[in-house]
Amino acid sequence: MSPPIGLRRYGPGLVKFLVLAGVLGLVGYHAAMHLDYPWQWYRVPGYLFSLDQGIFTPGPLLEGLFVTLNITALSLVLSLSLGLSTAILRLSGPISARILARAYLELVRNTPLLIQIFFLYFVLSPVFSLSAFASAVLALSLFEGAYASEIFRSGIESIPKGQWEAAKALGLNSRQTYVRIILPQAVRRILPPLTGQAVSLVKDSALAGTIAVYELTMQGQIIVADTFLTFEVWFTVAGVYLAVTATLSLTVYFLERRANQGFQYAGG
Amino acid sequence: MPRPEKTLGPEIIKALEMTKTFANGVRALDAVSLSVRRKEVVVVIGPSGSGKSTLLRCLNGLEDIDSGEIMIDSIKLDGNKKNRLAVRKEVGMVFQSFNLFPHMTVVQNINLAQRLVRGKTEAQALETTTALLEKIEMTDKTRSYPAELSGGQQQRVAIARALAMHPKVMLFDEATSALDPETIGGVLKVMRNLALEGMTMVVVTHEMGFAREIADRVVFMEHGRIVEQGKVEQFFQNPQKERTKVFLSQIL
């Protein structure tokens, strides 16, 4: 009996991976044991959640995660819309809109995100009476939107000229051409870099903690300050981020596979 | 070859003194005038870079002319967006590289503009599409994506997509130039039938045999100008200009 195809194909790689993971694990364990640090992992679950007589109560870390997810989801929607509009303005808007779009991109991409968050929170939010949460969402959307717009632009520009011409020749107007012809093809092509951008967004949302938004990193910081469980808490926080970003990447991966079923790229 | 008699209708394309210079300074059209009557099949020939494709692309506003005037079915093709869309509704175009929409099936490709531009319902569009698929002999490929089809099949679908708009004029821009020899026949057959049905056509092609067979009139272009034009028999058997004779001797 020969082993199943999956094992034959992935087996050798899997063995190598397990060996490497084992060695790294041993090294890590060895280092941890020789570190003069009183590990108290048993205290960590209580900060994640508690089960009291079967009633689930989220702890500060999970509360923080919800805020992080909230910021990320809102910023993702906003930054994608902002990115798409900026890209389209740059490509087919009037000259004034192109200059405006370009100025926005350069300003946002050439200054640190942290400064942008501070600027929005300390300078603009009193004027427009924005909450810390709203300031964080806005700053992240503006920042990631600039990068998303460059991704959209490259995707749109990668669609062959013939597709525009065929749509025009059939009498489609430019909105119909974008919505029905260009964007469906462009989005399939840029799904991987867009996912990378969404992952960055998840991680960058940690900066919202600097303006007193109680998201995951901020909660971690508070617990560490209270308990000195430095390593346990930060490892846990990192693990939670990893779980979120990995879920995101995997979801998009499967979406992409489904979207591309039966669809291949022919030239032109 | 005996050809069925056909009576041409009134002029549907009236283009006067079209001039077009590209950004790189190349003059693609130099005061070209062309009129085409309903049911007429005009074949445009000429060496590459002679402006024949540009001529075609100006007739549905894919390129703008710098000066001159184009009237299609009494609609003036100028800067006006509405007019431009109106003209494109009436003028179908087939490209050298097919330009099917790769993310849509054959049926979706043919349905799309019927629904968006002609405002048909899905069922109405499908009715037209089914009839056209029969005409191009591709009823078995309705759910295929363009990448799953041969070049010839893709081009036939592209023709059907244009015909689904019920155009009054069809423009063919070297429709068979990018095809493998064995798939050209099927595309030419569809075009031939279209000509026989009385479609008004402007065809840019290098297939001289085919030109001879379907053309009512032949236009020979070089350096952005019309060198000579005439009825098909007259043009091939007794060309007037020296340049035409040289060109024909090179390709026939």
Side-chain angles (χ1 to χ4, degrees), chain A residues 57-76:
Chain A
T57 321
L61 286 182
L62 273 194
E63 300 262 11
L65 173 64
F66 296 148
V67 177
T68 290
L69 291 178
N70 218 338
I71 295 178
T72 307
L74 283 172
S75 307
L76 191 61

Side-chain angles (χ1 to χ4, degrees), chain A residues 161-163 165-174 176 180-181 184-185 188 261-268, chain B residues 57 60 62 85 88-89 91 93 95 97 99-104 112-113 116-117 145 147-148 154 161-162 165:
Chain A
K161 214 173 109 229
Q163 293 289 308
E165 292 186 344
K168 277 190 204 169
L170 284 167
L172 270 61
N173 61 33
S174 46
Q176 292 166 332
R180 297 306 193 102
I181 309 300
Q185 297 182 58
R188 279 180 171 91
Q261 257 168 20
F263 168 89
Q264 304 146 35
Y265 244 92
Chain B
R57 294 160 59 82
N60 71 346
L62 281 186
L85 286 176
R88 285 173 179 161
K89 258 183 165 177
V91 180
M93 186 166 197
F95 300 86
S97 52
N99 297 342
L100 289 181
F101 305 130
H103 57 301
M104 297 181 186
L112 182 78
L116 293 184
V117 182
Y145 283 88
E148 298 162 353
Q154 289 192 51
R161 179 175 68 176
M165 297 297 290

Side-chain angles (χ1 to χ4, degrees), chain A residues 73-92:
Chain A
L74 283 172
S75 307
L76 191 61
V77 173
L78 275 174
S79 66
L80 289 181
S81 334
L82 190 63
L84 182 58
S85 344
T86 310
I88 291 177
L89 277 182
R90 263 194 84 181
L91 289 170
S92 16

Side-chain angles (χ1 to χ4, degrees), chain A residues 17-97:
Chain A
F17 171 77
L18 287 176
V19 169
L20 183 69
V23 169
L24 285 178
L26 273 178
V27 169
Y29 180 76
H30 185 76
M33 287 302 101
H34 283 74
L35 193 70
D36 190 15
Y37 182 82
W39 293 94
Q40 303 174 61
W41 279 106
Y42 65 91
R43 291 177 64 187
V44 170
Y47 292 109
L48 280 169
F49 61 88
S50 55
L51 271 177
D52 209 12
Q53 291 160 348
I55 298 166
F56 179 90
T57 321
L61 286 182
L62 273 194
E63 300 262 11
L65 173 64
F66 296 148
V67 177
T68 290
L69 291 178
N70 218 338
I71 295 178
T72 307
L74 283 172
S75 307
L76 191 61
V77 173
L78 275 174
S79 66
L80 289 181
S81 334
L82 190 63
L84 182 58
S85 344
T86 310
I88 291 177
L89 277 182
R90 263 194 84 181
L91 289 170
S92 16
I95 185 78
S96 52

Side-chain angles (χ1 to χ4, degrees), chain B residues 148-164:
Chain B
E148 298 162 353
L149 305 176
S150 75
Q153 290 172 326
Q154 289 192 51
Q155 193 60 296
R156 273 144 62 196
V157 174
I159 294 173
R161 179 175 68 176
L163 289 177

Side-chain angles (χ1 to χ4, degrees), chain A residues 169-171, chain B residues 9-15 34-44 55-61 70-75 77 85-94 118 158-173 191 194-195 197-204 217:
Chain A
L170 284 167
Chain B
E11 285 183 351
I12 184 164
I13 299 178
K14 276 185 248 179
L34 177 78
S35 50
V36 179
R37 296 169 62 181
R38 264 179 197 262
K39 298 196 174 186
E40 193 176 14
V41 176
V42 175
V43 168
V44 184
L55 167 69
L56 223 53
R57 294 160 59 82
C58 286
L59 292 182
N60 71 346
I70 303 174
M71 297 279 282
I72 311 275
D73 198 24
S74 311
I75 307 167
L77 188 56
L85 286 176
V87 164
R88 285 173 179 161
K89 258 183 165 177
E90 310 301 338
V91 180
M93 186 166 197
V94 175
R118 286 275 182 225
I159 294 173
R161 179 175 68 176
L163 289 177
M165 297 297 290
H166 309 296
K168 294 185 175 137
V169 178
M170 284 285 286
L171 309 174
F172 291 86
D173 190 5
M191 291 170 67
L194 212 52
E197 284 166 19
M199 175 60 80
T200 310
M201 294 162 69
V202 183
V203 181
V204 169
R217 180 152 55 102

